Amino acid sequence: MAAVQSLSILTNPAPEGNWMDEAKCKGHTNLFFPPRAERPQARARREARARRLCVACPVFDTCRDHARAHHEYGFWAGESEEDRHVAGFTVSAPIGVRARAHA
Ligand code: SF4
């Protein structure tokens, strides 16, 4: 829910209905989007905590498909925007060294 409650959900409504109601990330927005000037070590810790929620989430596959299809920013379904960018689901301004190398 945190990840899916981002601003982008307002512009890219999920066609899958109410899968967000089952999201394990409800109320954990701070784990799924980086604060300003986040350092790489803090990002790694934050994303590891987010990933632990995702692996136990009943809507993992739908969430991943949504994030890839809509080129979402942030951490969705165990993937960072850098992971998605490197896998070809590009975003215009990704964070992360690997993603910038693929820009
Ligand atoms: S897979 Fe992760 S980001 Fe997606 S809805 Fe579930 S907990 Fe949230």
Side-chain angles (χ1 to χ4, degrees), residues 2-6 29-35 38 46 73-76:
V4 292
Q5 277 182 337
S6 74
T29 304
N30 61 315
L31 290 180
F32 290 79
F33 296 94
E38 184 180 45
R46 177 181 54 78
Y73 286 90
F75 196 86
W76 298 65

Side-chain angles (χ1 to χ4, degrees), residues 1 3 19 23-25 32 53-54 57 59-60 63 75-77:
M1 196 66 142
W19 61 271
K24 275 263 183 212
C25 53
F32 290 79
L53 287 173
C54 292
C57 184
V59 292
F60 182 93
C63 177
F75 196 86
W76 298 65

Side-chain angles (χ1 to χ4, degrees), residues 74-88:
F75 196 86
W76 298 65
E79 292 177 327
S80 66
E81 62 196 46
E82 183 178 18
D83 297 332
R84 283 189 300 282
H85 190 84
V86 170

Side-chain angles (χ1 to χ4, degrees), residues 6 9 12 64 75 85 91 101:
S6 74
I9 197 75
N12 300 308
R64 183 196 53 220
F75 196 86
H85 190 84
V91 292

